[in-house]
Amino acid sequence: MARWEPNARGRLEEAALDLFGERGFEQTTVAAIAERAGLTERTFFRHFSDKREVLFGSEPMSSAIAESVAAAPESASPFEVTAATIADLAEALEGRRERALRRRAVIAANPELQERELVKLAHMAAGLAAALRERGVPDLAAALAAETGLAVFRVAFEQWVNGPDTPGLPALIRSGIDELRNITAE
Amino acid sequence: MARWEPNARGRLEEAALDLFGERGFEQTTVAAIAERAGLTERTFFRHFSDKREVLFGSEPMSSAIAESVAAAPESASPFEVTAATIADLAEALEGRRERALRRRAVIAANPELQERELVKLAHMAAGLAAALRERGVPDLAAALAAETGLAVFRVAFEQWVNGPDTPGLPALIRSGIDELRNITAE
C-alpha cells in the first residue's frame, strides 16, 4: 500500500538537518532520519544513496550549471557566461538561506565533511569548465573563467551566510563580479 | 653515535615518493621509507610528523606566501601583490617538476589524498587573504584576489605538470594572469 508522500525529499532533508544539528552527523542514522520525517527507510533510499548525499546531492547543481551555460547567448564572452551561470545558481539558492546556514553548521563541525565540500566545489568548477569548452572556449580561458567564477561564488556565498544583513546572494554575486573586474583591471 | 646525515629531508622525500609509487601510499610504512633512504625512523620523525606530511608539509609554503606579500611594494594593488606572490611560488617550484609529477601521481591514485590536496590549496588561499588583509586590503578584495590568484596558480600548475613541452611554471603563471585580466576586461 504505497502512500502518497508529499514533498518526501524536502521532509527528509529537513529531518536530517535537524538530527545532524542535534546529535552530530556521525551519530545520526538513516533510520532515525526516516522516522523523524514520518517516512520509511525505503523512501529515504529512493531519494538519497546515503546520509551524506542529503548534504551533497550535487546532481541538480551540475545540471543547472550545464543548462545555464547552454542558455547563454552565443555572443557572450566566457566570463559573461560564467557570471550568468553563477547568478542563476544564486537565484536558485536565494530564499534557502536558513537551510544553507544549517547545512554549513553541520559541515563546519566535521573535517571530513569540509573536505567533501571542497571536492563538491572542485567538481562544480570542472563541470563549468567542461560546459564552456563545449561552447568552443579554449582550454585556458575555460579553466580560468570557471575557477575564478567559482571563487566569486564561494566568496559571495560566505558573505551571504555570515550575514545577517546582506543584500541577498544574487546581489552579492553581482558585486563580487564587479569587484573582480575592478581588482584585475590594470 | 649520531651520524652526519646530509640532505636527510630530501633523501626521505625521494624514498617516500619511490615507495608510494611502487607500493601505493597506504601500503608504505615509515619504517620502509627510512630504510630505503638509509636512515632511521627517528630521523624521519625529526623531519615529518607522519608519511602524509611528506606530501603535504605546507609550513614552508605558508611562510613563503606571507613573506612574498610582506615584500611587495606598498604601492602595489591587491591583485599585483597576489600575482607577485604566486610568481614567487612558481620560481620556488620551477626545477622540481619531476618531483611534482611523481607527487601528483601518488595523489591522483588516492581519493583521500585528493581531498587533502584541496584542503591544502584552500589553506593557501586563506593564508594569502589574511596576509592581504594585514596590508589593509578590505575583506572582499582580499578574498577575491586570493581565491582568483590561487585559481590561476592551480590552472598553471596543471598545464605545467601535464606538459611535456611547457615554457616553465613562472611563464605559465604570467600567461594565466594576463589571460585572467583579458577575460575579465569588459
Side-chain angles (χ1 to χ4, degrees):
Chain A
M1 288 220 312
R3 291 182 309 164
W4 180 59
E5 289 156 349
N7 190 25
R9 190 180 172 97
R11 282 160 61 194
L12 288 162
E13 280 182 354
E14 195 66 23
L17 285 172
D18 280 349
L19 290 167
F20 294 161
E22 290 165 20
R23 304 180 184 176
F25 177 79
E26 290 295 344
Q27 287 71 44
T28 299
T29 61
V30 166
I33 295 169
E35 196 196 332
R36 176 73 62 101
L39 297 164
T40 62
E41 282 190 65
R42 209 181 134 152
T43 300
F44 179 94
F45 288 115
R46 267 208 299 275
H47 292 278
F48 303 102
S49 60
D50 56 29
K51 65 180 176 174
R52 234 168 57 148
E53 214 195 302
V54 180
L55 298 170
F56 295 105
S58 60
E59 284 318 307
M61 225 166 216
S62 299
S63 44
I65 287 175
E67 273 170 38
S68 289
V69 173
E74 259 188 61
S75 61
S77 74
F79 195 66
E80 285 166 349
V81 175
T82 299
T85 300
I86 61 175
D88 286 350
L89 288 181
E91 292 290 349
L93 284 167
E94 184 69 13
R96 305 191 76 194
R97 181 166 175 270
E98 207 52 47
R99 183 184 177 282
L101 261 173
R102 291 167 69 203
R103 175 180 179 278
R104 186 159 163 281
V106 172
I107 290 172
N110 185 316
E112 264 181 60
L113 296 177
Q114 287 164 37
E115 297 192 0
R116 187 67 195 70
E117 178 79 335
L118 290 172
V119 172
K120 180 179 173 169
L121 289 163
H123 282 167
M124 282 170 64
L128 179 49
L132 288 169
R133 285 196 301 271
E134 248 178 51
R135 286 175 67 95
V137 177
D139 283 1
L140 178 59
L144 284 174
E147 291 272 355
T148 54
L150 259 291
V152 171
F153 183 81
R154 276 199 301 274
V155 170
F157 190 87
E158 279 303 301
Q159 293 180 293
W160 182 58
V161 290
N162 287 333
D165 284 328
T166 80
L169 188 54
L172 288 167
I173 294 277
R174 282 191 297 274
S175 310
I177 293 284
D178 289 346
E179 180 73 5
L180 178 64
R181 287 190 196 276
N182 195 26
I183 62 175
T184 54
E186 286 187 278
Chain B
M1 288 221 309
R3 291 182 309 166
W4 180 59
E5 290 156 350
N7 189 25
R9 191 182 171 95
R11 282 159 61 194
L12 288 162
E13 279 182 353
E14 195 65 24
L17 285 173
D18 280 349
L19 290 167
F20 294 161
E22 290 165 20
R23 306 179 183 177
F25 177 79
E26 290 297 344
Q27 286 72 44
T28 300
T29 62
V30 167
I33 295 169
E35 197 196 332
R36 175 73 62 102
L39 297 165
T40 62
E41 282 189 65
R42 210 181 133 151
T43 300
F44 180 94
F45 289 116
R46 267 208 298 276
H47 292 276
F48 303 101
S49 60
D50 56 30
K51 64 179 177 175
R52 235 168 54 148
E53 215 194 302
V54 180
L55 298 170
F56 295 107
S58 58
E59 284 319 308
M61 225 168 214
S62 298
S63 44
I65 287 174
E67 274 171 37
S68 290
V69 172
E74 257 187 63
S75 61
S77 75
F79 194 66
E80 283 165 351
V81 176
T82 300
T85 300
I86 60 175
D88 287 349
L89 289 180
E91 291 291 349
L93 284 167
E94 185 70 12
R96 304 191 79 194
R97 180 165 174 271
E98 207 50 47
R99 183 184 177 279
L101 261 174
R102 292 166 69 204
R103 176 180 178 276
R104 186 159 162 281
V106 173
I107 291 173
N110 184 316
E112 263 180 61
L113 296 177
Q114 287 164 38
E115 299 193 358
R116 187 68 195 69
E117 178 79 336
L118 290 172
V119 171
K120 179 178 174 170
L121 289 163
H123 282 167
M124 284 169 64
L128 179 50
L132 289 168
R133 284 196 303 270
E134 248 178 51
R135 286 174 67 96
V137 176
D139 283 0
L140 178 58
L144 283 174
E147 291 272 354
T148 54
L150 259 290
V152 171
F153 183 81
R154 276 199 302 275
V155 169
F157 190 88
E158 280 302 302
Q159 292 180 293
W160 182 57
V161 289
N162 287 333
D165 286 327
T166 80
L169 188 54
L172 288 167
I173 294 276
R174 283 191 297 275
S175 310
I177 294 283
D178 288 346
E179 179 74 4
L180 178 64
R181 287 190 196 276
N182 194 26
I183 62 174
T184 55
E186 286 188 281

